[in-house]
Amino acid sequence: MKVVTFGEIMLRLAPEGYYRFFQNDRMNVSFGGSEANVAVSLANFGAESVFVSKLPAHAIGQGAVDSLRAFGVDTSHIARGGERIGIYFLEKGASQRGSVCIYDRKNSAIQQAFAAEFDWDAIFDGADWFHFSGITPALGANVAEICRIACAKAKEKGLKISCDLNYRAKLWTRDEAKAVMTGLMGYADICIANEEDAKDVFGIEAENTDITGGKLNKEGYVSVASQLAERFGLEKAAITLRSSISASDNDWSAMLYSKDGCHFSKTYRLHIVDRVGGGDSFAAGLIYALLAGKNDKDAVEFATAASALKHSIEGDFNRVSVNEVEKLAGGDASGRVQR
Amino acid sequence: MKVVTFGEIMLRLAPEGYYRFFQNDRMNVSFGGSEANVAVSLANFGAESVFVSKLPAHAIGQGAVDSLRAFGVDTSHIARGGERIGIYFLEKGASQRGSVCIYDRKNSAIQQAFAAEFDWDAIFDGADWFHFSGITPALGANVAEICRIACAKAKEKGLKISCDLNYRAKLWTRDEAKAVMTGLMGYADICIANEEDAKDVFGIEAENTDITGGKLNKEGYVSVASQLAERFGLEKAAITLRSSISASDNDWSAMLYSKDGCHFSKTYRLHIVDRVGGGDSFAAGLIYALLAGKNDKDAVEFATAASALKHSIEGDFNRVSVNEVEKLAGGDASGRVQR
Amino acid sequence: MKVVTFGEIMLRLAPEGYYRFFQNDRMNVSFGGSEANVAVSLANFGAESVFVSKLPAHAIGQGAVDSLRAFGVDTSHIARGGERIGIYFLEKGASQRGSVCIYDRKNSAIQQAFAAEFDWDAIFDGADWFHFSGITPALGANVAEICRIACAKAKEKGLKISCDLNYRAKLWTRDEAKAVMTGLMGYADICIANEEDAKDVFGIEAENTDITGGKLNKEGYVSVASQLAERFGLEKAAITLRSSISASDNDWSAMLYSKDGCHFSKTYRLHIVDRVGGGDSFAAGLIYALLAGKNDKDAVEFATAASALKHSIEGDFNRVSVNEVEKLAGGDASGRVQR
Amino acid sequence: MKVVTFGEIMLRLAPEGYYRFFQNDRMNVSFGGSEANVAVSLANFGAESVFVSKLPAHAIGQGAVDSLRAFGVDTSHIARGGERIGIYFLEKGASQRGSVCIYDRKNSAIQQAFAAEFDWDAIFDGADWFHFSGITPALGANVAEICRIACAKAKEKGLKISCDLNYRAKLWTRDEAKAVMTGLMGYADICIANEEDAKDVFGIEAENTDITGGKLNKEGYVSVASQLAERFGLEKAAITLRSSISASDNDWSAMLYSKDGCHFSKTYRLHIVDRVGGGDSFAAGLIYALLAGKNDKDAVEFATAASALKHSIEGDFNRVSVNEVEKLAGGDASGRVQR
Amino acid sequence: MKVVTFGEIMLRLAPEGYYRFFQNDRMNVSFGGSEANVAVSLANFGAESVFVSKLPAHAIGQGAVDSLRAFGVDTSHIARGGERIGIYFLEKGASQRGSVCIYDRKNSAIQQAFAAEFDWDAIFDGADWFHFSGITPALGANVAEICRIACAKAKEKGLKISCDLNYRAKLWTRDEAKAVMTGLMGYADICIANEEDAKDVFGIEAENTDITGGKLNKEGYVSVASQLAERFGLEKAAITLRSSISASDNDWSAMLYSKDGCHFSKTYRLHIVDRVGGGDSFAAGLIYALLAGKNDKDAVEFATAASALKHSIEGDFNRVSVNEVEKLAGGDASGRVQR
Amino acid sequence: MKVVTFGEIMLRLAPEGYYRFFQNDRMNVSFGGSEANVAVSLANFGAESVFVSKLPAHAIGQGAVDSLRAFGVDTSHIARGGERIGIYFLEKGASQRGSVCIYDRKNSAIQQAFAAEFDWDAIFDGADWFHFSGITPALGANVAEICRIACAKAKEKGLKISCDLNYRAKLWTRDEAKAVMTGLMGYADICIANEEDAKDVFGIEAENTDITGGKLNKEGYVSVASQLAERFGLEKAAITLRSSISASDNDWSAMLYSKDGCHFSKTYRLHIVDRVGGGDSFAAGLIYALLAGKNDKDAVEFATAASALKHSIEGDFNRVSVNEVEKLAGGDASGRVQR
């Protein structure tokens, strides 16, 4: 299976452990970004994974390329040029103190990309699936247009298309998001979201659900998913469900909707090591599971287990194998030593 | 608002992570001390914060000064001289293993201070509040006398005076504490304590309360607070309530008593990152809240939220802003990512 | 009291914190092995502790010797020679992600040991107890034979003999284990096991107990212990009981069986820092407690408390004192700061 | 003595030790910038040091403020606002491999500053000296204009003005630099440069000097300095002289020219720990020495010794005291232990 | 250009900085091995680089694969299986204390490889060059035979073949080496060696050369190279020349001999960061330079400059670009900052 | 051979790498002290090494004991009690910046020792040599008296006695030192000193020797040694000769005087990793060499080589074997890799 993802990869700078920013003089440096996270996860699942983006030609841009190549992600279609890579600063929260994320991503190379830099015909050669998130078109009109061109080409070549709504209020307004995303969703077969995304982008709401308090309203989610599916003619819509008890403990589950029915995964009580990239790991798990031919129930369990494991791993990337996910999805959540 | 604190600041040496002493060859070095912790916390809240102490003139003493200046604490009234800075070694506990604190603080510069080194008239110029803890007078008769002089001058200049009882059995006996603290409490407007302090220092006891088991006896605490207030003619008395489930998990709340009534804060289930300085962060929160004009209920909620956050932060100092405290006190304890 | 242990000590290589293998370029290096862990724990309890093994003469072998000497373990009977020290790679789990243990221990020095390298008469001089685990005879026929010689000599000199079954499927088959262990158990006075061990090695089973789900079946354990005791004429049989809620949270208790009755310890809810060596710390606690003259109830409480504390400590070795264990066994599990 | 500096402070990200970029997952984070480095150095010499700039209001900007406050630099005139802080990535060289510096400083807060954000009348109150480098006006026309306003006000209030040419080809062309700097140099009393700067900015050249080979041509430098002094009516002109034998070894000296004559300092053979900020530490040393009333010979020796010491210190900031500089300038370069 | 290398890659474990083994509890982990080092260096030069080996299927083996993939090395022909990866422990020397290298490489996966695991026809498809070192055939008769098969196939397909003698006394005797290497050298076009190698493997000696003292005897080296070239019908023979002044300082140069003449490179005075892989980086530089069409003089300068840079870089791998090598070979050894 | 040393061991706190104090939040923690350093070095040479001191009973004191036990030093005669362990802070210098050593050693356990805590009859049982330095009696009159008692008992039992003058101006005046040391030197057989020590303690001076400039005056040193030997009836007197070119480079040699003649060792150009403990490693080398029966020339070469190696090792302790010293003393200073 071959999957193409398109988006931004950023330099991530995070103080060690639970230190607040500049509490000491070290930061952990890694790379991450919604679609890059999906690409790495898929490569770890054994898929042929192609990540498309634009990165500066200097050593910092090269670091991002190398971080992807280490997992076997195909980086040969990443355009090189522009002046900077986007950066985000992450301070990990604990107990009642939430994580803090400060973005410094303006004017990044990908935001200065132009359509001619990407040969989608070549990129999609032999590919089965195209995935992007709502962050990509939010990077600018040019990037949204490249995204549209990619969608059109993917459709033409018969690829499945998935989109993770991923609304980022720092990048665009709800009105801008709605206008652009409505257009792009016309190409999508599968939509991934959390309840807030659907509301933020399209004004689609589930009733009686309190995302802070952690009580889940199953009917509400089914309603959101069916509205999404109906409005955009989707094959499937998936919603991830996070209940934040504290920065250290979350409950995590998901549901997958299709016309044939709706499946809720089991719920995991997570002791969080790093929650960034949790949604991306779900998307990757879902894409893998569907391409591998799993039915909806097994697919949502696989995707939820994959993303549950992500929360135990430092960094944006989900460093787990299919075997590890299957073991957890199959019911062994005891975390016993594998000797 | 301008607050003056007076006490000792020590060098803190702590093995990395959950290592026991000398399990490897590194220690985290930082500085801390009850009143210094209050001073830093207040500076972080935006107050004009003056810390008064004595530190050796060498590079280790300078390190302590610099650690305070970084937060904007006014260190210009710290006397310089003496031979050493007090040191404490801290080994962080986890699960059933408690933290270990080994003090090496004898003969520190502040313990060799003499009254003429501090010009309280100048120090209190424009100040609103004077705070010290029971540790300061426990450092020696000379320091107790300096503390008394400061209290008298503060009273004369119309400052509010707060005292955190903070009984330390390693520094003096209960009898010594009672004798000295009874004198100093005569100047205080507000007293902060935990149940043990009140009993240790003044023999004031709450009945039927088991501090290990974690069951709280509300009437008992009201009784302790009212006894304190009555005996010393206090305006307010605050008591912090810690239930230790394990070294990793504590329940944390507080109450604030005044003649007009008694307010208990909500209770936080803490996943502890570092509990040292928890009480000091409460004191700082209370001082700030009262100076900011909050009523008793809001003040105790602010102070408790501030100290709840402290438990998620490495080191003695409470590195949080007013906004962060208000957000938690206002009810959002979910620890969600702030993007 | 003087205790002799015989077995392998390995180099342990573990990524920092919760990193997966090679997520960054550092590993924590330490040493450990079932019997070495027991030896260090006993030395920390104040016992005269002799560890017998074989290690290469080079700097890596010397590192293992030094790691034991630091605790005061007598290493003068360790044979030096052979080419390599066994290695194991440990990746610490969290939440739903289990720890991973990769062994590279073949052809280690101890596996190439021969009987003439150990003068058991001298080694056992003045000793009270001999301990080994099922890992030692699993290292090879030569090592099993050395173990048998040691047992015979220990018996002859009147030492108590304890054996921790510790079945390792990577080292031998169940049939091989059964054949060899049956012979060695004939010398043993005390057997330590978990339910799986008894089944794996001897086919002795407790009914209706689900080790993953965490429900304990007390009768089942008594049945296993009594079968062990009966079959091998043991004085006592101890079983440790672990319920894995997740890689971060376990419930931990134990039982000690003798003809006079059966005692279950209290159960600890563990927040796990490092679970490797948990069983070894129990064995050490039991040996110490019995040698110190404790009755069965107190002994199993001491051993369980010792091993509960181990789970809060990084590395294989249990770095706790008798005082710390007694305090926990005596009921203070609050993990309060010891100032 | 009170000195005001104006310029940019950036976040500095550097791999640990001699690692190349992204060779592992950690970077040392600190702050630095030409004028900020001067400000810190002066504060360490005991001067009242005011650093003027603009920084974003978020935690990364605050980190820069705190890094200055720790040394006692007055940061109260730093404007807060804008979106980002400039960043530079530094890879330390060794032997034949040179250091690599990658800038990501566009659109920083200071580049978006406007004149009304700085009240130079208040800033210069009681000040003796104003210093900036050629980097500041290179940040944009608005910043150059603010710089001009500051110079005019400084002149009006009778401050000495010094300028370090510091040509940065990445920020502007030689023609742009010449045009702007010619205007600003009209205000300057003292100019600091290296031979390349004078040529790059003003086309002033020393003959027969090979900066790579390390041979110095004294007459050439005197010629450059006198041309600078003459063209701009300077009181003094200083030139730093670096001979790079390798990235690990440099020879370092300087000369100070005034109408009364020209003084060359002694030459130091440096084993380089970190050479960034070497020129800034010279500027700070010179400003301090002249304000302290030293004659030209002693001043250039002080400044050169100060900057020689800088090369032994990690980070941009020169963490040395007047005593340490005097000791080296006085002839003790043996680096013996100070007990 | 496409180059294939065949050999072993090992896990490298090195204490931090200049620590001796086990001086603290951390080691830097990386991967390296003579041919893998060549492969990475070539990939960094932009060549299509294929590394062939065998590695275990577990996470440690995968770590080695990932470490190569990060540089873009083609790892698709690495056989997976066997039980372990070879390990070497490296303690870095300084001043008069030499580095210490302890090998634990027996029974590694590559040593258990068999011929059918490598499809040389496919591997060499489109390739220009095949490189191996004397370490590969020293790993065992089976590996030597695989090496012979590869050579024969490479010859058949018209690839250039280079061999770095790299004698390792721990792996085989001189007689064994001579017998096997004589056979393999029959295929080689280019031989790389140091003076000791030629003597150790083939008894070819240069007179009057003292490798410890650091005096070079040019005629002696020409004599060695010409003897090698003549005996094995080589096109070229290269010899690297290291003079160890201390563990911290070496002089480094090389010569390249062909029938048309002999070229000595310039000599670099190295401040050593890490000397492991120095010879491999020379081999890679030579292969690249010759494939890029450089003449002998430029080729040996390129290769020597590449390897000089390697000595300034931590780890086995030479992390430098063609530009960086050209700059140094072109004469700029000043190590100035590249801004 | 069995050697007894008596003195203080301190906790050493040093910033990482070349950081100045508190430049970041970590320090390397280790232990050291003149006689402890000698004891560890001798243990590493294979001698039976007994270190006598007094240390507090808490975990910090235990850390010191463990640090010695790891090397096999016999710590069974260390008295336990008192309140604190002495501490010293060490900031490593580089280039022109000297190292800084700040002592905080007053009121340490050993300074509160009393004679009855040491049973010298038992301690010296089977011992060949007793060593102390001038630091020990400088710790207080009580410690000087214990030292005298030890000397008298050692003399009585026929041990050789060596004393390293080691004058510390922070501990006592020259007059105090002279009075006490004159008494103790009456027991000594061998004295070790540097030129400054002899002058500081006894007013014995070498003429025309400039310790800063690095020029050695051989006659001067012979004169100092012969004066020492004559005044105190010594068998031998050794003087270490350090020329500090910079904090990074020293020349190091030594001479050994006896009535039969005077031998100067070769001189080593040191690239310094850590120079603390350099003199102690010389003393240990000399004691070992003489006990091993070496003649004066070989003994001074062994001791000088041992201490040259020490300068390449982090920490106070000299972590080298006899083989490593012999190799260097035998002439191989090239620092080549030992594979």
Side-chain angles (χ1 to χ4, degrees), chain B residues 112-244:
Chain B
Q112 297 168 341
F114 40 95
E117 292 181 294
F118 306 96
D119 177 357
W120 294 104
D121 236 325
I123 293 167
F124 287 141
D125 189 45
D128 303 296
W129 195 293
F130 176 57
H131 173 80
F132 66 99
S133 88
I135 295 171
T136 303
L139 296 173
N142 56 329
V143 190
E145 173 61 10
I146 297 169
C147 203
R148 197 199 54 75
I149 293 169
C151 283
K153 177 61 71 178
K155 199 97 249 170
E156 177 192 323
K157 301 191 81 147
L159 283 73
K160 286 270 182 206
I161 299 178
S162 60
C163 174
D164 183 340
L165 291 186
N166 248 345
Y167 178 66
R168 288 288 183 272
K170 290 254 173 78
L171 292 176
W172 55 2
T173 65
R174 296 181 178 197
D175 285 345
E176 291 169 328
K178 187 175 185 182
V180 172
M181 291 302 285
T182 298
L184 292 170
M185 286 295 282
Y187 296 98
D189 301 295
I190 284 148
C191 174
I192 301 161
N194 58 38
E195 196 211 28
E196 292 177 89
D197 288 334
K199 181 181 170 191
D200 288 338
V201 180
F202 299 118
I204 296 173
E205 244 177 295
E207 280 159 13
N208 305 326
T209 304
D210 171 2
I211 57 146
T212 305
K215 291 272 179 76
L216 294 181
N217 169 1
K218 289 200 170 192
E219 291 76 27
Y221 293 115
V222 175
S223 142
V224 167
S226 66
Q227 289 179 61
L228 279 170
E230 207 168 317
R231 190 181 302 183
F232 301 108
L234 300 169
E235 188 181 309
K236 295 177 201 297
I239 300 185
T240 57
L241 312 170
R242 183 189 298 278
S243 299
S244 285

Side-chain angles (χ1 to χ4, degrees), chain A residues 230-285:
Chain A
E230 207 168 317
R231 188 180 305 183
F232 301 108
L234 301 169
E235 189 180 310
K236 295 177 200 296
I239 300 185
T240 56
L241 312 170
R242 183 189 299 279
S243 300
S244 285
I245 294 108
S246 74
S248 304
D249 293 291
N250 280 192
D251 283 338
W252 178 256
S253 62
M255 64 88 89
L256 179 58
Y257 170 92
S258 68
K259 46 222 151 204
D260 307 328
C262 188
H263 298 275
F264 281 82
S265 75
K266 74 181 74 149
T267 298
Y268 297 95
R269 165 62 53 97
L270 308 173
H271 293 262
I272 293 181
V273 171
D274 187 338
R275 49 161 285 172
V276 179
D280 307 321
S281 61
F282 176 84

Side-chain angles (χ1 to χ4, degrees), chain B residues 26-58:
Chain B
R26 294 211 197 149
M27 283 195 183
N28 290 322
V29 294
S30 57
F31 294 91
S34 182
E35 296 83 2
N37 301 346
V38 172
V40 166
S41 198
L42 284 164
N44 284 334
F45 291 153
E48 201 179 336
S49 178
V50 182
F51 178 65
V52 181
S53 188
K54 184 174 179 183
L55 282 166
H58 59 41

Side-chain angles (χ1 to χ4, degrees), chain F residues 43-58:
Chain F
N44 283 335
F45 292 154
E48 201 177 335
S49 177
V50 182
F51 178 65
V52 181
S53 189
K54 183 173 178 182
L55 282 166
H58 59 40

Side-chain angles (χ1 to χ4, degrees), chain C residues 185-207:
Chain C
M185 286 296 282
Y187 297 98
D189 301 295
I190 283 148
C191 174
I192 301 161
N194 58 40
E195 197 211 25
E196 292 176 88
D197 287 334
K199 182 180 168 191
D200 288 339
V201 180
F202 299 118
I204 296 173
E205 243 178 299
E207 281 159 14

Side-chain angles (χ1 to χ4, degrees), chain C residues 16 19 23-26, chain D residues 16 19 23-26:
Chain C
E16 296 180 310
Y19 272 6
Q23 193 165 348
N24 82 346
D25 74 332
R26 293 207 199 153
Chain D
E16 295 181 310
Y19 272 6
Q23 192 165 350
N24 80 346
D25 73 332
R26 295 212 196 148

